[in-house]
Amino acid sequence: MREFLGIDAGGTSSRAVLVDAEGRCRGYGRAAGGNPTSRGAGPAAAAVASAIEQALAASGGSGGAVEVVLLAHAGGHEDYLPGIEGRIAPLGVRVPVRPAGDLLALFASGTHETEGAALIAGTGAIGGVIRDGRLARVVDGTGWLLGDAGSGFAVGHRVARAVVDDLDGGPTTRLTPALLEAVGLEDDGDRVPVEGRPPVMNRLVHVLYELPPVQLSGFAPLAFALADEDPVARGIVQDAVAALAALLARVRGHQSHGPLVVGGSVLIEGVLRADPALAAPLLDAAGGASPVPVADGLVGAAVLALRAGGVEVDADRFARLASGVRAAAAAWSPRV
Amino acid sequence: MREFLGIDAGGTSSRAVLVDAEGRCRGYGRAAGGNPTSRGAGPAAAAVASAIEQALAASGGSGGAVEVVLLAHAGGHEDYLPGIEGRIAPLGVRVPVRPAGDLLALFASGTHETEGAALIAGTGAIGGVIRDGRLARVVDGTGWLLGDAGSGFAVGHRVARAVVDDLDGGPTTRLTPALLEAVGLEDDGDRVPVEGRPPVMNRLVHVLYELPPVQLSGFAPLAFALADEDPVARGIVQDAVAALAALLARVRGHQSHGPLVVGGSVLIEGVLRADPALAAPLLDAAGGASPVPVADGLVGAAVLALRAGGVEVDADRFARLASGVRAAAAAWSPRV
């Protein structure tokens, strides 16, 4: 039996799926984050190998039948691929690990078509146009400092700034007690300045500068949670939606036709679950096309693995693959 | 003769001035940056000691008559004061180094009064209210990540983002050729995407992420230089002025009376030299009070040194001190 491995190596977790040429899911595995930039090349490679090992074990077979290993990741660190190859060779998998971009894998997780567009807003924000099964054009995705408008970082950063501003005498917001609790600071309500500033403000500023800046993205959910009741939180969410709508409009300026696939926690758990009035500008920018939401790029990694092996992925095979991977992911539990 | 040393330890340079009890300037010295956060405690202490040594040498006297050494700096690293004391003891200066905040020293550089307000917009942005010769209240100054709206960082950051956005298909701006030249990148005009993006954009993003984020403040002058001719640059300057006007309004909400002293490159070389229509919101926020611009906190450090020694600094003594320090700074040249 011909077998194919697709892996989605994200910042939080690495997921691997073993599929056959008909798109049937034969095994699934999940391990720690596999992003070499945030985790280091060695730990990232080990996490990816662990996910692969689980998928192989679940299938009950050896790795000898695997024809293609396709790894979707954020890119820029191809030098960790040999580390993965070295770790999976003892499992019988002796083919090279092929990299693919996370944006292309996300797109291929939502459709069997090979033309269209993708928009991700997670920690970062990026859009892309796919033509002939390849990423033809990217918009934004330039990172927390230089771009990523509308991203989780952008929202969480605004949350942090709004709370510091509140404590500094700016507009009051319910984000303040929420953020102080999130970082484990007690607010005794004392606003009498010490060395010119309220003591809790000094403590918060200190705590926030201890974090790597990109971790401010962890505060983005506070803005979505409070958007219905707090004007400051609502303003932050509105600005993020406007930025994502502008990003999508620019993407669609490069796109000829095909579906729009969307992913990332800010879109899936934030914007698309928010008050419809808040999400409206983004749906307007989609121009009537109904966005296809996907959880991650794992189905797409399997699709790309099949295609790399010369297997055509039509609508039927795609549907089988997507439902099989969904079921396997839902049934998965960590080995003790 | 009674002698007093005032030192302003900034990020770019450290300046020291030796004055007598009448406010006459007896010696001046200048050395490398004396900010322990950016330079490290040892090099910062050595720079401060070098500036002091020059000021003593210029006066022709020994350090034995120095009653007070007052060091104005950004604060937070008092642990480098002993390093300074150890280096100036061999010069005969055997009194402790007293620290003072840079905001208070800046205020005292502009007036002999002991009530009023100060606003600095350099790399950062901070406002403060002075009462009874002490800093009673601070507004903002929370750094590039969490505050400093209207600062050199905020302006330079916006410049960098605007240029990346231009290269990514956003609004065209004359900031783009200016920034590419500033970072030494050739723009061949090729906008055909490679891996989804124009090549020069990839190179620029790479170059900018190599910098410590706070160094983006170095691009702020580009926005002021192009504000008259480029709408994107003008918008960035307008937003910065609006942010500084809001900061000033909040400061004045805490202030009872007294002058407004202003400093920092963004205010002195940027806003106050710009098209008056651009600066208008800030002057409006000053509420008719004419801001007193100062170059740095050196005069104020000397004022605070005199006061710490029990010497009253009235309008006459202040005027003598300020003009003497200005003349000495203008006449100074580095020792070969």
Side-chain angles (χ1 to χ4, degrees):
Chain A
M1 183 187 300
R2 303 177 66 190
E3 291 184 334
F4 305 83
L5 268 168
I7 306 107
D8 186 20
T12 310
S13 70
S14 304
R15 282 135 287 133
V17 64
L18 185 77
V19 300
D20 66 21
E22 293 307 310
R24 280 183 292 253
C25 178
R26 315 286 304 175
Y28 175 93
R30 191 187 302 169
N35 182 326
T37 305
S38 57
R39 297 211 71 216
V48 168
S50 168
I52 291 174
E53 185 181 2
Q54 293 173 52
L56 289 170
S59 77
S62 79
V66 173
E67 290 183 22
V68 176
V69 179
L70 189 133
L71 177 82
H73 73 121
H77 280 267
E78 312 310 2
D79 50 342
Y80 90 122
L81 302 184
I84 298 171
E85 289 163 357
R87 284 173 171 86
I88 62 176
L91 309 175
V93 183
R94 297 180 186 280
V95 294
V97 175
R98 292 171 183 241
D102 51 357
L103 195 59
L104 184 62
L106 185 107
F107 176 77
S109 278
T111 178
H112 71 284
E113 295 187 48
T114 55
E115 306 266 337
L119 179 67
I120 312 181
T123 300
I126 189 168
V129 176
I130 287 82
R131 287 193 206 109
D132 199 19
R134 299 173 65 88
L135 185 63
R137 181 80 204 196
V138 175
V139 180
D140 204 339
T142 48
W144 63 275
L145 186 63
L146 299 176
D148 286 5
S151 66
F153 172 78
V155 173
H157 185 211
R158 284 279 302 275
V159 167
R161 292 181 68 102
V163 170
V164 170
D165 195 47
D166 176 0
L167 295 171
D168 201 25
T172 302
T173 167
R174 296 181 64 164
L175 291 167
T176 300
L179 179 65
L180 289 173
E181 190 187 339
V183 300
L185 281 180
E186 290 258 354
D187 181 12
D188 57 8
D190 179 11
R191 297 289 182 271
V192 178
V194 174
E195 296 188 348
R197 291 196 179 104
V200 70
M201 177 179 165
N202 283 324
R203 291 199 297 272
L204 178 65
V205 167
H206 181 77
V207 164
L208 294 176
Y209 273 107
E210 292 286 303
L211 299 175
V214 77
Q215 283 194 18
L216 296 182
S217 64
F219 305 130
L222 302 180
F224 288 101
L226 293 168
D228 288 342
E229 48 187 297
D230 183 81
V232 173
R234 192 172 186 87
I236 291 171
V237 170
Q238 282 172 328
D239 288 350
V241 172
L244 293 173
L247 170 53
L248 180 55
R250 207 180 290 174
V251 166
R252 286 176 56 84
H254 296 294
Q255 183 190 3
S256 45
H257 60 279
L260 168 66
V261 178
V262 300
S265 56
V266 166
L267 282 170
I268 304 299
E269 289 153 38
V271 177
L272 297 179
R273 282 194 200 163
D275 174 0
L278 274 174
L282 186 66
L283 298 176
D284 289 349
S290 188
V292 181
V294 295
D296 57 34
L298 182 58
V299 169
V303 168
L304 297 174
L306 286 166
R307 287 197 180 129
V311 179
E312 195 195 333
V313 182
D314 59 12
D316 282 352
R317 214 167 255 151
F318 177 82
R320 188 180 305 128
L321 187 57
S323 68
V325 171
R326 253 197 308 274
W332 182 86
S333 60
R335 292 179 300 181
V336 182
Chain B
M1 184 188 300
R2 303 177 67 190
E3 291 184 335
F4 305 83
L5 267 168
I7 306 106
D8 185 21
T12 311
S13 70
S14 305
R15 283 135 287 131
V17 64
L18 185 76
V19 301
D20 66 21
E22 292 308 310
R24 278 183 293 254
C25 177
R26 316 285 304 173
Y28 174 95
R30 190 187 302 169
N35 182 326
T37 306
S38 57
R39 296 212 72 214
V48 168
S50 169
I52 291 174
E53 185 179 3
Q54 291 172 52
L56 288 170
S59 77
S62 80
V66 174
E67 289 183 23
V68 176
V69 179
L70 189 134
L71 178 82
H73 73 121
H77 280 268
E78 312 309 1
D79 51 340
Y80 89 121
L81 302 184
I84 299 171
E85 288 163 358
R87 285 173 170 87
I88 62 177
L91 309 174
V93 183
R94 295 179 187 280
V95 294
V97 175
R98 294 171 180 242
D102 52 357
L103 195 59
L104 183 62
L106 186 108
F107 177 77
S109 279
T111 177
H112 71 285
E113 295 187 47
T114 55
E115 307 265 338
L119 180 67
I120 312 182
T123 300
I126 189 168
V129 176
I130 286 84
R131 287 193 206 108
D132 199 19
R134 299 172 65 87
L135 186 63
R137 181 80 205 198
V138 175
V139 180
D140 205 341
T142 48
W144 64 274
L145 186 64
L146 299 177
D148 286 5
S151 66
F153 172 78
V155 173
H157 184 210
R158 284 279 304 275
V159 167
R161 292 181 70 102
V163 171
V164 170
D165 195 48
D166 176 1
L167 295 171
D168 200 26
T172 301
T173 166
R174 296 181 64 164
L175 291 167
T176 300
L179 179 64
L180 290 172
E181 190 187 340
V183 299
L185 281 180
E186 290 260 352
D187 181 12
D188 57 9
D190 180 10
R191 296 291 182 272
V192 177
V194 174
E195 297 187 347
R197 292 197 180 103
V200 71
M201 177 180 165
N202 283 323
R203 291 200 297 273
L204 177 64
V205 167
H206 180 78
V207 164
L208 294 177
Y209 273 106
E210 293 286 303
L211 299 174
V214 77
Q215 283 193 18
L216 296 181
S217 64
F219 305 130
L222 301 179
F224 288 101
L226 292 168
D228 288 342
E229 49 188 295
D230 183 81
V232 173
R234 191 171 187 90
I236 292 171
V237 170
Q238 281 171 328
D239 288 350
V241 171
L244 293 172
L247 170 54
L248 180 55
R250 207 179 292 173
V251 166
R252 287 176 55 85
H254 296 293
Q255 182 190 5
S256 45
H257 60 279
L260 168 66
V261 178
V262 299
S265 56
V266 165
L267 282 170
I268 304 300
E269 288 154 38
V271 178
L272 297 180
R273 283 194 198 162
D275 173 359
L278 275 174
L282 186 66
L283 298 176
D284 289 349
S290 188
V292 181
V294 296
D296 58 35
L298 182 58
V299 169
V303 167
L304 297 173
L306 286 166
R307 288 197 180 130
V311 179
E312 195 195 333
V313 182
D314 58 12
D316 281 354
R317 214 167 255 150
F318 177 81
R320 188 180 304 127
L321 187 57
S323 68
V325 171
R326 254 198 307 275
W332 181 85
S333 60
R335 293 179 300 181
V336 182

